[in-house]
């Protein structure tokens, strides 16, 4: 049973475009929603995180949109750059434990 | 980068042999986690620790055991490795855990192949 579903599996975006990755969760007890970025051969690195009492959080070119009633949240990468090419994971947390989505491989073409 | 060191970084071993992976942190964080990463599954929690000698199971704990005798070290043991345990293993640390979600910071992983 997948508690956090992430889509798409892969995404190709032109430089300067907007990358959008979506996640849906089932457990309403989740109270922490981070996004991680992972480059080949490295561990996941925390990118941005949101708690369910806000609907949007922005840090630089990265924005999380959160819809509590729909149990969905998404990552928007504005002005996507080739250096953003990586695998992105959403996660949902409860009691200090995280459940991860399956990952999205993003490729930004020059 | 968070002070997390995983060792070894790569290991190839045979089915049925015992394997121990080590995670060492210099941040003095209370919480430590072991995950495995497999294509199509994201990262799945194996075991975690909320203090010295305090550990608990995650969603894929069968076939794995852990120990934490010091704050800085968290060991993951495969008592009798199987080919299904071929994976990339990540350690993570967090300043606080239960009851208060805090960011988890990851090491660079151990690539384990079981033939």
């Amino acid at each position: 049973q997948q508690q956090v579903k992430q889509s798409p599996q892969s995404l190709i975006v032109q430089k300067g475009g907007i990358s959008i990755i979506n996640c849906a969760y089932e457990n309403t007890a989740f109270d922490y929603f981070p996004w991680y970025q992972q480059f080949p051969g490295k561990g996941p690195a925390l990118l941005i995180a949101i708690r369910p009492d806000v609907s949007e959080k922005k840090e630089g070119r990265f924005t999380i949109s959160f819809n509590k009633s729909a149990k969905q949240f998404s990552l928007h990468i504005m002005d996507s750059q080739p250096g953003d090419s990586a695998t992105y994971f959403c996660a949902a947390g409860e009691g200090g434990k995280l459940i991860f989505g399956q990952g999205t491989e993003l490729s930004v073409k020059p | 980068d968070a002070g997390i060191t995983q060792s070894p970084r790569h290991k190839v071993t045979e089915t049925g042999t015992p394997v121990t992976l080590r995670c060492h942190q210099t941040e003095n964080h209370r919480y430590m986690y072991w995950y495995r990463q497999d294509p199509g599954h994201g990262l799945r929690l194996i075991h975690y620790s909320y203090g010295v000698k305090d550990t608990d199971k995650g969603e894929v704990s069968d076939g794995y055991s852990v120990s934490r005798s010091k704050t800085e070290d968290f060991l993951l043991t495969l008592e009798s490795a199987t080919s299904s345990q071929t994976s990339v293993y990540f350690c993570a640390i967090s300043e606080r855990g239960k009851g208060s979600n805090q960011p988890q910071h990851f090491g660079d992983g151990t690539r384990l192949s079981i033939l």
Side-chain angles (χ1 to χ4, degrees), chain A residues 31 36 38 43 51 89 96, chain B residues 33 37 90 98 101 104 107-108:
Chain A
D31 59 1
Y36 284 83
Q38 185 180 28
R51 299 189 190 276
F89 293 95
Chain B
Y33 307 81
Q37 184 175 37
F90 287 98
K98 248 183 193 177
N101 285 299
Q104 292 185 20
D108 283 338

Side-chain angles (χ1 to χ4, degrees), chain A residues 69-105:
Chain A
S69 61
K71 294 187 286 185
Q72 295 176 346
F73 58 110
S74 60
L75 176 69
H76 295 233
I77 306 175
M78 311 300 287
D79 187 26
S80 299
Q81 299 297 312
D84 296 330
S85 297
T87 301
Y88 292 81
F89 293 95
C90 65
E94 182 210 357
K97 294 190 289 185
L98 293 177
I99 303 294
F100 283 82
Q102 301 87 338
T104 297
E105 194 171 339

